[in-house]
Amino acid sequence: ENVERHRTLKLVPLAPFRVCAFSSFSSRKKYTRPTTKMVIATELCALSEYRIYPGNGKLMIRRDGKPVFLGTSKAFSLTIQRKKPAKLVWTQAWRRLHKKGITETSLKKRSRRTNKVARAVVGISLDDIRKKAAQKPEFRTAQRDAALKEVKSRKTTAKKGSGKASGAVFKAKIPKNVRSAGKGR
Amino acid sequence: KVCDNSGAKTVKCIKVLGGFNKKIAKLGDIIVVSVQKLRNKSKITSKVKKGEVYKALILRTKKKFKTKDGINIKFQDNSVCLITKQGKPVSTRIFGPIPKILKTGKFTKIASLSAGFI
C-alpha cells in the first residue's frame, strides 16, 4: 500500500460555476468546482497494518521511547493482552505468513531448470564424447550396423572353429562320470 | 516519579497551579510538590532533601493527551521534572522521551535537556 508522506496543500484554480442565463436548456453545461487535494501523512497500525487517518487511534509510547501506533480500540486492547499479530487471522501479518493474496501467482511462475553439464567418464574423455555427439545420426546407425555384422560373422566362425576347443576344455575340467552329460551338450 | 538527575525518586503532589479551583493537572502543567523518596545511589550527593518543597513540570502521563494534529498520545508512566520557584530546572539531565509541545514557549530550557522527542 502506498503511504503518502508529504504535508503540502495543493490549490487548484477555481473554474467559473455560473452558467450563462440565456443559453438553451439542451446546451447548458454543468460546471463543477475542481476539488482541492490535501496530502496527509497517514500512519500504519502496528497490529493490523491498516491506515490510520488523522483524528483516529492512539499513540502508545513504551518505556524505551518507541512509539506504537494503533488504529482502533480493538487493536489497542489486543496489544495490551500481548497478542501477536501473526496469530490473528484478520491481520496483514497473518496473511503474509500464510501467503494469502497476490503473491501466490508470482511464486508459481518460476520453475527450476537443471543445467546439464557434459562430463568426462572413465572410459571416454570429454572431447570424444563431444565428437560422438556431433556425428550425424545416419552415420552412427551405419556404424552400428557394420559393427553388428562384424560381431555376427565372428560368432559364426567362432562356433565352427572353437567348438572342439571348448569341448576339450570342458573334458579336462569335468570328472569322468559326467563326461557323457558334457558331450551331450 | 521523577525522571531527572536531581536525586529525588518519588514526589508527591501538594497543589495544582493555574487557577483557584483547578483540580486536575495535565501534561505540561506545573504543580507544587514535596520530595518523598531519594534515589539510593545519590543520598549523599543529591541536590534535594527529603521533605523539601519544589515546583515540578509534568512531562509524561498515562492519561491520553491530544495534540493539535489529532494524535492521542499515551505514555507508560507518570513522570515529572523538578523546577525551582523561578522556573529553572534543578537537574542537568532528563531521562526518557518528552512530547514535542514542550519545545516551544516557556519550557525550552527544560526541553533542551531531554534525550528525545515524540
Side-chain angles (χ1 to χ4, degrees):
Chain A
E1 288 174 274
N2 293 326
V3 179
E4 298 138 340
R5 287 280 163 194
H6 308 287
R7 278 178 170 274
T8 52
L9 226 191
K10 283 185 190 171
L11 288 175
V12 182
L14 300 173
F17 60 92
R18 287 199 72 210
V19 175
C20 177
F22 302 109
S23 64
S24 63
F25 190 80
S26 58
S27 70
R28 190 183 288 177
K29 289 182 188 174
K30 281 191 179 176
Y31 285 100
T32 52
R33 273 170 132 197
T35 51
T36 54
K37 280 189 183 179
M38 196 166 105
V39 186
I40 304 161
T42 55
E43 301 285 346
L44 286 177
C45 177
L47 193 90
S48 60
E49 291 180 48
Y50 295 163
R51 248 190 250 177
I52 304 172
Y53 286 93
N56 297 323
K58 278 187 199 177
L59 216 201
M60 225 177 74
I61 293 167
R62 292 205 180 130
R63 272 175 205 254
D64 49 1
K66 283 181 189 172
V68 177
F69 280 99
L70 298 162
T72 53
S73 57
K74 181 181 182 182
F76 177 66
S77 83
L78 286 169
T79 48
I80 286 171
Q81 295 171 41
R82 302 286 207 95
K83 301 277 183 185
K84 291 184 184 176
K87 291 194 174 181
L88 300 166
V89 183
W90 55 277
T91 56
Q92 292 287 325
W94 186 93
R95 301 198 100 228
R96 242 184 281 129
L97 258 186
H98 294 258
K99 294 168 193 167
K100 303 277 178 186
I102 306 166
T103 52
E104 255 184 316
T105 52
S106 69
L107 280 171
K108 273 185 184 176
K109 276 181 183 175
R110 282 190 188 170
S111 59
R112 284 204 175 168
R113 282 191 178 180
T114 52
N115 290 326
K116 288 188 180 175
V117 180
R119 272 192 193 173
V121 192
V122 175
I124 319 170
S125 71
L126 237 188
D127 292 339
D128 291 342
I129 293 173
R130 279 182 194 160
K131 277 183 195 170
K132 282 205 169 181
Q135 286 169 351
K136 284 194 177 176
E138 303 125 0
F139 183 70
R140 296 207 75 192
T141 51
Q143 264 196 332
R144 244 183 263 153
D145 293 338
L148 278 171
K149 278 182 187 174
E150 265 195 68
V151 169
K152 274 186 185 173
S153 62
R154 254 192 249 156
K155 272 190 180 175
T156 50
T157 52
K159 272 188 183 174
K160 289 176 189 174
S162 69
K164 290 180 188 176
S166 64
V169 167
F170 276 121
K171 272 184 191 174
K173 285 186 181 174
I174 298 164
K176 289 178 186 179
N177 317 341
V178 202
R179 217 185 262 178
S180 55
K183 266 191 177 176
R185 273 191 218 164
Chain B
K1 280 188 202 172
V2 179
C3 66
D4 59 7
N5 68 348
S6 57
K9 196 174 181 183
T10 55
V11 127
K12 189 178 181 181
C13 172
I14 295 172
K15 198 79 189 178
V16 172
L17 296 177
F20 79 101
N21 212 12
K22 188 167 182 181
K23 292 184 180 176
I24 298 169
K26 291 180 186 173
L27 210 151
D29 288 346
I30 297 178
I31 54 175
V32 180
V33 131
S34 85
V35 179
Q36 302 281 63
K37 273 189 192 175
L38 297 174
R39 284 188 200 270
N40 279 326
K41 285 184 186 178
S42 56
K43 269 182 185 169
I44 304 165
T45 60
S46 70
K47 303 163 191 174
V48 153
K49 283 182 195 174
K50 191 185 167 187
E52 278 188 343
V53 174
Y54 280 99
K55 283 190 182 177
L57 173 69
I58 298 175
L59 295 175
R60 284 178 243 143
T61 51
K62 280 186 185 176
K63 182 79 187 169
K64 271 193 286 179
F65 162 73
K66 193 165 186 179
T67 60
K68 285 205 170 176
D69 300 349
I71 302 168
N72 288 320
I73 301 179
K74 194 181 151 165
F75 291 93
Q76 292 274 38
D77 61 340
N78 306 314
S79 53
V80 129
C81 143
L82 295 183
I83 305 177
T84 57
K85 284 184 184 175
Q86 283 78 32
K88 292 177 188 177
V90 174
S91 59
T92 53
R93 277 177 71 198
I94 293 176
F95 307 116
I98 289 178
K100 278 184 195 172
I101 288 145
L102 302 178
K103 260 191 196 179
T104 59
K106 302 176 190 175
F107 312 120
T108 47
K109 260 197 180 179
I110 297 159
S112 64
L113 299 171
S114 74
F117 287 101
I118 282 178

